[in-house]
Amino acid sequence: EVQLVESGGGLVQPGRSLKLSCAASGFTFSNYYMAWVRQAPKKGLEWVATISTSGSRTYYPDSVKGRFTISRDNAKSSLYLQMNSLKSEDTATYYCAREDYSASPYFDYWGQGVMVTVSS
Amino acid sequence: DIQMTQTPSSMPASLGERVTISCRASQGISNYLNWYQQKPDGTIKPLIYYTSNLQSGVPSRFSGSGSGTDYSLTISSLEPEDFAMYYCQQYDSSPLTFGSGTKLEIK
């Protein structure tokens, strides 16, 4: 059974940093692109970052580029999101998601999410 | 960025009813369109990928169609577990973008 379990969320002050983790199990982690998607309170979904299987390629929207860094450790089946220079608008639930490229790219498994609150 | 406009934003419906949710892209996306369901507890699962392909395990009452800029998700006969939020998502170009969501509510 595929499982994605996020951790590392919490309350952080504006301008500070936080690192999220996602522990994956039930599949060969190194074979899949992985991503982070977030959802601000009472809002819709927003793609945050994607990383290739080896970690050599990363992709971000402009809203987080230069502040967030996605990374992975295939030996530990773990995905990470380093968030720096946090802003109040980064307050959201952050979901770890697996990307399936076998047929056509889509997020085929999602974690339960971890809450990040940016506030003084 | 490609903007995805979902309509309606909320939809009251009855058990057994047929419903259709629409998603319009700000430019053509070549059928690169996925649909997701989010339950009140936050659980998200895929329903449809590449416009009309049913995700494994998803009931056949769900279907997707469309082309160009206009896409839709249809539920042929609503079951109790279908009352949830629905999001479309395009992956024709970066950044990947989602629609603002449709809340399917019990009438």
Side-chain angles (χ1 to χ4, degrees):
Chain A
E1 178 192 7
V2 172
Q3 284 198 315
L4 300 170
V5 180
E6 304 93 338
S7 60
L11 175 63
V12 60
Q13 293 179 327
R16 303 298 291 265
S17 299
L18 196 66
K19 186 173 185 177
L20 305 182
S21 300
C22 171
S25 61
F27 65 102
T28 303
F29 182 74
S30 59
N31 287 351
Y32 289 85
Y33 278 52
M34 297 295 295
W36 290 96
V37 177
R38 69 183 179 184
Q39 185 173 38
K42 304 296 185 185
K43 299 294 185 181
L45 300 169
E46 180 187 17
W47 167 68
V48 171
T50 288
I51 188 167
S52 63
T53 53
S54 66
S56 61
R57 288 167 290 174
T58 57
Y59 310 87
Y60 308 93
D62 287 345
S63 58
V64 306
K65 193 176 295 183
R67 298 189 301 121
F68 289 12
T69 301
I70 188 171
S71 62
R72 65 190 297 160
D73 185 335
N74 286 341
K76 295 183 177 180
S77 296
S78 293
L79 179 72
Y80 307 100
L81 185 67
Q82 176 68 46
M83 304 184 292
N84 298 332
S85 304
L86 282 161
K87 307 175 182 180
S88 58
E89 52 262 43
D90 296 319
T91 294
T93 296
Y94 286 74
Y95 293 93
C96 166
R98 189 179 85 168
E99 289 197 49
D100 185 347
Y101 275 77
S102 59
S104 192
Y106 68 109
F107 302 115
D108 66 342
Y109 284 94
W110 298 65
Q112 280 298 304
V114 62
M115 184 69 199
V116 172
T117 302
V118 184
S119 175
S120 54
Chain B
D1 298 3
I2 296 177
Q3 309 302 317
M4 305 300 292
T5 302
Q6 261 183 261
T7 54
S9 57
S10 66
M11 176 185 286
S14 303
L15 291 173
E17 187 174 342
R18 177 186 179 92
V19 298
T20 296
I21 298 169
S22 298
C23 184
R24 173 166 289 178
S26 58
Q27 63 190 69
I29 55 172
S30 303
N31 291 94
Y32 295 123
L33 191 285
N34 303 322
W35 290 96
Y36 301 89
Q37 178 192 67
Q38 184 176 32
K39 290 293 184 71
D41 69 355
T43 302
I44 301 172
K45 72 171 190 178
L47 298 173
I48 303 282
Y49 61 94
Y50 195 47
T51 295
S52 59
N53 293 273
L54 199 65
Q55 168 72 356
S56 175
V58 174
S60 59
R61 64 181 179 271
F62 290 90
S63 63
S65 64
S67 64
T69 61
D70 295 319
Y71 299 84
S72 62
L73 172 71
T74 297
I75 309 173
S76 61
S77 179
L78 282 171
E79 298 285 337
E81 61 268 29
D82 299 337
F83 293 94
M85 285 290 294
Y86 293 85
Y87 294 94
C88 60
Q89 175 239 326
Q90 68 81 23
Y91 58 96
D92 178 71
S93 64
S94 187
L96 309 181
T97 48
F98 291 85
S100 55
T102 295
K103 185 174 184 179
L104 196 50
E105 303 171 300
I106 299 177
K107 186 184 289 183

